[in-house]
Amino acid sequence: MSSETSIEASFWKRAARFRALVPVMVAICVIGTGNSLLTTSVSLSLSRPEIDPSAVQLLLTGFPVGFLTGCLVARFLVARLGHRGTFLTVSFLAALAGSGYMVTTVTSLWLVLRFLNGFAMAVLFVVSESWINLYADQNNRGAYFSLYMMMTSLAVLFGQLMVEAAGPHSPHLFLIGGLTVTAGALYCRFVGRPWPTLPVRSVPPLQAEVSAADHRCGLWKLAALAPVTIIAVFQAGMTNMNVFALMPLYGAKIALPAATTIGMVTAFSMGGMLAQTPVGWLSDRLDRRWMLLVQGILAAMLCAAIIMLANRHVPVLFVLFFLYGATALTIYPVGIAFANSQIDSRHMVSASGGLLLIYSIGNVMTPGIAAGLMDYVAPYALFIMLGSGAALVSVGACVNLRRKRTSSTANAVADCLTSGVNQ
């Protein structure tokens, strides 16, 4: 009887911890939905023939530059305002920027608004990911993080559905987007209950007096500790941007109908969204390095299969894109969960910011390279590049699996390691 009581108590404790994540998850989903709608609305506005192409290129740089800036300064905002305070402040900044599109159409002001959108979303992601990783423990970090990834995927999907519902040429798109972001900020402030206090981590006496500069886990330390995570995050940024941005061009080059190409991108997105929960559950029970090894191999093999089929056997292509999304889009959360299982809690904010910086670099730099390869080599060069990135994830996983915990390695990353963690 006591055993049953203990199991019931454990269940309700886990349920309470899970419910505590609701404010974070709902807020990031609603704000992300508004941001997705605004991004699509800006793209539709810039597609008008009277818009100067040079102005379009300038405006397109606003969001990624703002995102990079947000990754760099998020740690300082969290140190001063705390996780929830930073989230609230930046949420209202995002709402203000989203409402600005209705006021003016001046190119220079839109550039500022895009910069603020990118800055706000980067800070929100850093805050959410670092808070979730601090709140989670070794037994549920993968599940919590996969839920977060599902919310961001749903946000992109909901944003596109709202565009379709309102109509691509509706004059009210910017109003709907601004109101959606504002609703997410107001929910977090007035409806969602306060985020639970993070657990206090004990700090060894010898580390209590280290300088603030030493309370960071820089990218070089992360690369020494978890090279597979650096590769996985870069690969995720590369895959997300290239599939969504370049698939229409790839489809046109291999003579696929536009509707078929859109359907394949949708299958890719659905595969990633539906796989998040089972992959997160598995990552809490299996060695994440082995999971990343298998995911990288499968993603590379699926890219090879997509190249070989080209525009033949379209129903099979839909299946391949669904499976590719299920593998490639779940590499990021497993890689992040592995890295955060290896570092001390006080480094998680700086680590999250650094990893999002790597993600955004993959997001920004690779589409131009991929487009050039498609023009000068062949259309299938897109999937050669994506498959190579996935294969590198497997190589990184092998490096982490084969690494021996020698004293020299331990000294190189001592201030990032958590004691006794080698998962």
Side-chain angles (χ1 to χ4, degrees):
M1 192 68 179
S2 61
S3 176
E4 294 179 359
T5 304
S6 175
I7 293 174
E8 182 178 357
S10 176
F11 170 80
W12 287 114
K13 182 179 179 180
R14 289 196 300 270
R17 286 180 60 83
F18 186 82
R19 287 196 303 271
L21 291 172
V22 169
V24 186
M25 299 298 182
V26 173
I28 200 67
C29 184
V30 176
I31 295 171
T33 298
N35 179 72
S36 174
L37 192 154
L38 287 171
T39 299
T40 301
S41 302
V42 170
S43 298
L44 291 171
S45 299
L46 296 178
S47 65
R48 297 197 303 268
E50 65 270 19
I51 302 295
D52 184 5
S54 61
V56 173
Q57 294 176 0
L58 178 64
L59 285 172
L60 289 177
T61 63
F63 189 92
V65 171
F67 198 95
L68 287 169
T69 306
C71 293
L72 293 172
V73 306
R75 184 179 64 86
F76 301 100
L77 292 175
V78 173
R80 181 171 293 273
L81 303 175
H83 284 82
R84 188 167 186 263
T86 302
F87 195 98
L88 283 171
T89 301
V90 177
S91 296
F92 284 107
L93 176 64
L96 179 65
S99 303
Y101 296 103
M102 298 180 291
V103 179
T104 180
T105 57
V106 178
T107 300
S108 57
L109 293 179
W110 270 34
L111 178 63
V112 174
L113 294 175
R114 292 301 293 156
F115 176 88
L116 292 176
N117 282 143
F119 176 86
M121 293 310 298
V123 175
L124 291 176
F125 288 150
V126 171
V127 170
S128 301
E129 293 181 15
S130 61
W131 189 90
I132 291 169
N133 278 308
L134 284 167
Y135 182 73
D137 56 38
Q138 283 298 102
N139 297 321
N140 53 32
R141 180 172 283 116
Y144 287 174
F145 207 86
S146 67
L147 177 62
Y148 160 77
M149 292 298 297
M150 183 179 292
M151 292 298 104
T152 59
S153 299
L154 285 173
V156 174
L157 178 61
F158 290 158
Q160 303 313 303
L161 291 176
M162 291 174 72
V163 171
E164 291 292 333
H169 304 291
S170 171
H172 306 300
L173 284 178
F174 287 121
L175 174 62
I176 297 171
L179 289 176
T180 304
V181 176
T182 303
L186 292 174
Y187 168 84
C188 189
R189 173 63 181 86
F190 296 108
V191 181
R193 55 187 180 273
W195 297 5
T197 304
L198 293 172
V200 178
R201 313 289 188 182
S202 59
V203 180
L206 292 177
Q207 297 178 358
E209 299 179 359
V210 295
S211 65
D214 291 330
H215 278 231
R216 298 195 300 269
C217 191
L219 288 177
W220 74 270
K221 294 178 182 177
L222 279 172
L225 179 65
V228 65
T229 295
I230 300 294
I231 300 171
V233 169
F234 184 85
Q235 180 270 346
M238 177 176 69
T239 301
N240 284 4
M241 179 56 70
N242 282 282
V243 170
F244 288 111
L246 296 181
M247 263 303 293
L249 178 61
Y250 172 80
K253 285 181 177 291
I254 65 170
L256 280 174
T260 301
T261 303
I262 294 172
M264 289 177 181
V265 175
T266 303
F268 174 81
S269 301
M270 292 297 294
M273 185 180 67
L274 294 176
Q276 294 295 341
T277 298
V279 169
W281 183 85
L282 282 173
S283 74
D284 289 332
R285 288 156 178 80
L286 302 176
D287 191 322
R288 295 184 180 108
R289 296 167 297 178
W290 281 106
M291 288 192 64
L292 289 167
L293 174 64
V294 173
Q295 287 173 290
I297 293 173
L298 287 177
M301 291 174 62
L302 288 165
C303 285
I306 290 170
I307 291 172
M308 288 188 290
L309 256 67
N311 58 359
R312 304 183 300 276
H313 309 295
V314 171
V316 180
L317 275 176
F318 275 98
V319 176
L320 290 177
F321 270 90
F322 180 88
L323 295 175
Y324 180 51
T327 53
L329 294 181
T330 53
I331 287 175
Y332 179 82
V334 177
I336 293 287
F338 172 71
N340 282 286
S341 70
Q342 304 294 296
I343 62 177
D344 192 273
S345 61
R346 70 184 192 274
H347 298 299
M348 284 185 175
V349 176
S350 61
S352 294
L355 290 172
L356 274 174
L357 183 63
I358 293 293
Y359 179 91
S360 61
I361 290 172
N363 224 312
V364 172
M365 288 180 57
T366 56
I369 298 172
L373 289 173
M374 291 171 67
D375 286 335
Y376 294 107
V377 181
Y380 58 77
L382 170 64
F383 287 97
I384 292 178
M385 189 180 79
L386 296 178
S388 299
L392 283 176
V393 173
S394 296
V395 173
C398 289
V399 171
N400 270 113
L401 283 166
R402 291 175 60 86
R403 174 174 292 164
K404 295 181 180 180
R405 298 180 59 83
T406 61
S407 58
S408 59
T409 302
N411 290 334
V413 297
D415 59 334
C416 282
L417 281 166
T418 52
S419 59
V421 176
N422 186 29
Q423 190 174 3

